[in-house]
Structure formats: structure tokens, C-alpha cells
Amino acid sequence: MIEWFSQHGVELAAFVLTLVVTIVGWVIEHRSSKEQNREREDDIRLLREQLDSLQRQATTLEEQTAMQRADHDRPPFSDAEWVRGSIRRVRIEGSRDVHVESAAPPAGMTAEFRLKTQLPDDFVPSETIEYVITGPGPVEFLWRWADEPNMPLRKVRKVAYKPE
């Protein structure tokens, strides 16, 4: 056996050295692979957090847009206000100009009604439409957005009560 070792000792030592180097290489590669995998998982976690944040921002922007759109499209008239005597007024609110075609009490109402503001006309926000009406009766306004001339006229009813 000693003879065999003397003849093949160098080969055996080279084989054992190759085997040790291969095993050490596998261990180093495995550790490196685990570290890279950990880094990838951290990157994936970070990307998921960023995606969640972006989705929350998108949801918030959608909600803000919906609120702005609702505010943009809501009827632009304040509640009718009592001014004095039989004089009432409504104020144009919001951010858009309004075209008011007409104002009148609802059909069948016997209240005396007279406009103090000339209609039809376009109104900018904060302008008022004044009218005289006997009693607390409602007034219906036919209107559309001034920047949408093809928009069908809408009707809104406003009522003012004399303060006590």
C-alpha cells in the first residue's frame, strides 16, 4: 500500500486538493448567492412599498379629481336670500361662468314675480340675480354653463323665506 501511495500520492493529493477547492468554491458561491438573493428580496420589498405608495397617491388623486369634478358640475346658485321687503336674490357660486336663460315661479304658482336683473345673461361667480316676489314662494332658474353653449338647460329651484 505504501508503494501505491508513493506512486499515486501526488495524484491523490491533487485530487484531494481539487475536491477541497471545489467544495470551498461551492460554499463561497452558495454564500454569495444567498447574499444576492437577500439583496433582491430587499429590492423587491422596496419596490412593493413604492408601488403601494404610488397606488395610494393615485387613489388620493382620483378622489380629489372626483371632488373637484363634483364641485365643478354642481348647480352654481346659492340659497335664495331675503334682501328687504319682497326683494330676494341668489348669488352665483363656484368657479365657472353661468348662462341664466330665465327665472320664474313654478307653473301654477300665483305669486307676483318680477326680475330686477336682466335675463337671459351670463354671470360670473359672485354676481347676483335679484327679483321681487310676493310671499316665500320658490323660483325656478333655467341655466347652463356659459362655456358650454350646446348644453341642455337645467332647472334649479330656490326658495327664500322672510326672516322673523
Side-chain angles (χ1 to χ4, degrees):
M1 181 105 164
I2 292 183
E3 221 176 273
W4 186 86
F5 276 118
S6 64
Q7 287 179 344
H8 301 290
V10 172
E11 292 172 1
L12 182 62
F15 174 75
V16 169
L17 180 63
T18 303
L19 187 62
V20 167
V21 168
T22 302
I23 292 172
V24 168
W26 284 345
V27 168
I28 291 171
E29 179 63 28
H30 179 70
R31 284 184 179 167
S32 173
S33 177
K34 280 177 70 174
E35 181 62 31
Q36 285 178 346
N37 190 40
R38 207 172 303 123
E39 289 173 4
R40 285 186 194 124
E41 287 174 354
D42 288 344
D43 290 344
I44 290 170
R45 181 186 49 76
L46 180 63
L47 288 172
R48 283 190 176 136
E49 289 173 0
Q50 289 175 344
L51 180 62
D52 289 344
S53 175
L54 289 172
Q55 286 174 333
R56 284 192 303 273
Q57 287 177 353
T59 301
T60 301
L61 286 173
E62 287 171 355
E63 291 170 355
Q64 287 175 349
T65 301
M67 289 184 335
Q68 286 175 344
R69 185 171 290 126
D71 185 51
H72 188 71
D73 290 338
R74 74 177 174 84
F77 298 93
S78 69
D79 289 334
E81 304 168 348
W82 174 80
V83 178
R84 67 185 166 284
S86 299
I87 301 175
R88 311 287 194 272
R89 76 171 159 225
V90 294
R91 185 172 310 281
I92 304 301
E93 297 178 330
S95 60
R96 297 174 74 180
D97 293 356
V98 178
H99 174 81
V100 180
E101 186 66 26
S102 66
M109 290 258 331
T110 58
E112 185 180 321
F113 178 82
R114 181 174 43 88
L115 280 168
K116 292 183 65 92
T117 305
Q118 184 177 347
L119 294 180
D121 200 0
D122 289 353
F123 295 88
V124 297
S126 79
E127 284 189 302
T128 60
I129 300 172
E130 289 191 353
Y131 55 92
V132 176
I133 188 167
T134 56
V139 174
E140 292 180 344
F141 293 88
L142 286 176
W143 68 278
R144 65 172 168 76
W145 298 116
D147 60 355
E148 295 182 28
N150 296 328
M151 174 183 161
L153 291 172
R154 295 182 185 174
K155 186 183 290 187
V156 67
R157 179 183 285 201
K158 292 296 177 178
V159 179
Y161 295 98
K162 188 173 181 178
E164 296 179 27

